[in-house]
Amino acid sequence: MARRPLPRILSSGTARIARTREIARTAADGATDVLHPLITVSRGLRKLAVLARRKWADTPKDRRGPTLALVAGCVTAIALVPFGPLLALVSLMGAAAWQGRVRTPVRTGPDEAEAGRLQSLYEALVPYFTVPEDPAPLYTHGGEWTGALHDYAFDENGRLTELRVSYPAYFTDGEAESRARIEQLLHAKSGRGREYRFVWDEEGNQLLMRVLPALSTAIAAQRFVTAPGETVLGFTDAGAVQRTVPVTDGEESRDAPPVIWRTGPRSTEPHLLAVGRPGGGTTTLLRSIALQALQHGDVLIVEGGGTGDYAALAGRSGVLAVECGLAGALTSLEWATHETERRLIAANRARQAGHPVPDDVKRPLWILVDRPGVFGHLAAADGRRDPQELLQVPLRHGRAASVTVVVAEQSDSLDTLSETVRTHTRARAVLGPAGFDEVAAVLGAAPHTTPTPEVPPGRGYARLGEGPVLRLQVPATPDPYDDATSEAHRRAVLDLLPERQDTGGGEPDPPDDLTPAREPSAAPAPVPAEG
């Protein structure tokens, strides 16, 4: 039996109903837009009426009569004034429109998810901030967090970025272990992978936790506005230092807070030790220091890694030598020892005679030693003298002779450094990924922030003598002959290099856009000490 088709009115009914609903919805939206002023005024009149009724109910009965008389007098005065009723009506409509406007609700507290996170953090702090003898504990299981956690702020992902924690007065905030436990807990509960700064207010029994923004990695090698004897190790957080210098950050210019290291006869930290893991940025730091030192002095480079990371400096004006071999390193450092002694003797004779110190003595001499532990192993295997022994005179007497020593070593080879190097390098820097204990062991003080496991090259901490521990980002100073170097960074480094010295061999020097042969340069001839 053949199936009959449905009547047309039934098959097209659904489409007609949907189209009718769409027309009705469009008409309602249009009417709402057209009547929006009327709706706003009506809502405002209703609010004004409610407000007037509340005021009348709150007025005492003995004052209602005078109030009615005052209102009647005002209405009579408005009626007698020309255009008074019209002005009153316009004023009433304006007040109603202002009262009936749609107001954006002001957020006065955390939402449900943020309140749950704060409550969880409060519960986690209970075992650390509670003792059984406390009659009115601030932290209790199942208590309210509002009395202990203040000044909170969250990011767009709902994670804490700032928090002030109040704790009881009997908490041992003067002990480093107690502080470390609380900081570790807050770090874990607030989100890992970020760097936090903790500020303890022992007088007020409060702890301020704040997430630090990442330091800029776009600042490349450039001429910094510094005085002679000042070296920019890198840049730190705003407010951590009292000085700024103009820099080019990417494509814009701004003022950045630098970490200034002062050297010379009046320096209290005349020598520097940089420690880091492979790829952490210690070689970048030494290259940056060399480019700045060549503006006013001479540089002697001893590279133990043998990777040729300083080949671009070889043969430049002011670069005395770039040594990569054990024999050249021993010869160069022996010359540096004699040069330090010569400068001391010349300066002493000039002072005794009442003459100014000679210019060749006042000209700074920089000795940059990268990975001296490698030379120590080679010297022990070959039965030769450890090159670090030749650094004793420059380290001990370099400040008076305008000789500065910078030593860079990997963190897994710190035991190869001699006691003299450890004692006289009072300026310290730790670059690359490093644990909390490792940073404290090198710098002599723990940082006030939480180190992160992954950092860009050149990121770390610095401490000058007994000063505070500062976050540090070294300016990008890569090897310009490395194929992985970007064109902008390569050109920035090449623009800072001095002119090449005339070798006198009749062959032209390799251009800066080609990779030169990486051969160790000849060591400077030893200068005998006077007297």
Side-chain angles (χ1 to χ4, degrees):
M1 182 176 179
R3 183 177 298 177
R4 295 182 180 180
L6 293 174
R8 184 176 181 182
I9 187 174
L10 296 179
S11 60
S12 60
T14 304
R16 290 183 178 180
I17 293 174
R19 187 162 52 253
T20 303
R21 290 178 179 175
E22 184 66 25
I23 294 174
R25 187 179 297 108
T26 304
D29 294 340
T32 302
D33 294 338
V34 173
L35 300 177
H36 179 71
L38 181 59
I39 296 174
T40 301
V41 172
S42 301
R43 188 189 303 117
L45 289 174
R46 185 172 62 254
K47 290 183 178 181
L48 290 176
V50 172
L51 181 61
R53 190 182 302 111
R54 186 182 300 113
K55 289 290 185 181
W56 178 258
D58 294 340
T59 303
K61 293 183 178 181
D62 56 342
R63 298 182 58 183
R64 291 182 178 180
T67 302
L68 286 176
L70 179 61
V71 171
C74 293
V75 171
T76 303
I78 291 173
L80 296 177
V81 173
F83 304 102
L86 180 60
L87 294 176
L89 180 61
V90 171
S91 301
L92 179 62
M93 293 298 102
W98 178 258
Q99 288 291 333
R101 74 189 188 280
V102 178
R103 303 178 183 180
T104 303
V106 179
R107 181 178 175 181
T108 58
D111 56 22
E112 184 177 356
E114 295 172 353
R117 184 180 288 271
L118 292 173
Q119 184 65 33
S120 175
L121 183 60
Y122 172 85
E123 294 287 345
L125 291 172
V126 170
Y128 301 92
F129 290 150
T130 303
V131 294
E133 296 81 7
D134 191 352
L138 181 62
Y139 290 82
T140 58
H141 291 289
E144 290 293 334
W145 59 267
T146 53
L149 307 182
H150 316 280
D151 300 339
Y152 47 81
F154 295 85
D155 59 10
E156 62 276 3
N157 297 323
R159 297 197 300 175
L160 277 167
T161 59
E162 187 173 348
L163 180 66
R164 186 179 298 276
V165 180
S166 299
Y167 56 87
Y170 52 75
F171 176 72
T172 55
D173 53 3
E175 300 179 2
E177 295 181 356
S178 301
R179 290 188 178 192
R181 286 195 297 267
I182 300 301
E183 293 176 1
Q184 183 179 5
L185 174 63
L186 293 175
H187 180 203
K189 293 295 183 180
S190 301
R192 299 183 182 274
R194 300 183 297 175
E195 198 165 358
Y196 296 84
R197 180 184 293 277
F198 297 97
V199 180
W200 290 83
D201 181 9
E202 300 180 7
E203 296 181 359
N205 299 321
Q206 292 185 344
L207 167 62
L208 177 61
M209 180 191 71
R210 181 176 300 163
V211 177
L212 296 176
L215 297 176
S216 176
T217 59
I219 302 179
Q222 54 192 281
R223 292 296 183 202
F224 301 113
V225 181
T226 56
E230 294 182 344
T231 303
V232 175
L233 299 182
F235 296 91
T236 185
D237 300 298
V241 293
Q242 300 179 355
R243 177 178 173 181
T244 60
V245 296
V247 297
T248 301
D249 188 353
E251 297 182 354
E252 62 178 7
S253 298
R254 64 180 181 90
D255 291 338
V259 178
I260 299 292
W261 174 38
R262 293 174 176 85
T263 58
R266 301 185 183 276
S267 173
T268 57
E269 302 86 23
H271 308 295
L272 172 71
L273 173 62
V275 179
R277 298 182 185 180
T282 55
T283 301
T284 298
L285 175 59
L286 261 64
R287 264 195 303 264
S288 176
I289 293 175
L291 292 177
Q292 298 179 62
L294 288 173
Q295 300 182 60
H296 307 286
D298 299 324
V299 175
L300 172 63
I301 301 175
V302 177
E303 180 190 0
T307 57
D309 290 326
Y310 304 92
L313 293 167
R316 301 284 179 172
S317 177
V319 179
L320 302 180
V322 178
E323 295 296 344
C324 302
L326 176 60
L330 290 173
T331 303
S332 297
L333 294 180
E334 185 177 359
W335 172 86
T337 299
H338 293 308
E339 174 65 12
T340 304
E341 296 173 349
R342 184 195 69 82
R343 290 183 175 217
L344 289 174
I345 295 173
N348 186 35
R349 289 179 176 177
R351 294 189 183 97
Q352 290 181 356
H355 300 303
V357 179
D359 293 338
D360 62 335
V361 175
K362 293 190 298 183
R363 182 172 176 83
L365 173 61
W366 293 73
I367 304 174
L368 310 182
V369 184
D370 194 352
R371 299 195 63 187
V374 176
F375 286 132
H377 289 295
L378 295 177
D382 201 20
R384 297 190 179 187
R385 188 179 182 181
D386 189 348
Q388 294 189 57
E389 298 179 6
L390 298 173
L391 291 175
Q392 293 185 7
V393 174
L395 285 171
R396 291 177 177 176
H397 308 288
R399 178 173 59 179
S402 298
V403 177
T404 302
V405 179
V406 180
V407 179
E409 188 55 88
Q410 294 185 0
S411 56
D412 55 357
S413 302
L414 282 178
D415 55 344
T416 62
L417 295 177
S418 64
E419 187 64 26
T420 303
V421 173
R422 294 172 178 267
T423 303
H424 292 86
T425 51
R426 291 173 45 82
R428 302 287 181 89
V430 180
L431 302 179
F436 193 87
D437 296 336
E438 181 181 351
V439 175
V442 175
L443 301 183
H448 296 290
T449 62
T450 54
T452 55
E454 297 182 1
V455 294
R459 177 73 56 80
Y461 298 91
R463 188 186 185 206
L464 305 179
E466 300 298 328
V469 179
L470 303 174
R471 286 207 306 167
L472 179 69
Q473 177 62 56
V474 178
T477 316
D479 181 8
Y481 295 156
D482 190 354
D483 295 337
T485 303
S486 65
E487 180 61 25
H489 287 170
R490 187 183 74 88
R491 180 50 54 187
V493 175
L494 291 177
D495 291 342
L496 298 178
L497 289 174
E499 297 293 333
R500 290 190 177 274
Q501 297 177 352
D502 186 8
T503 58
E507 296 181 0
D509 294 326
D512 288 334
D513 56 349
L514 298 177
T515 303
R518 301 190 177 186
E519 298 180 356
S521 60
V527 179
E530 298 182 6

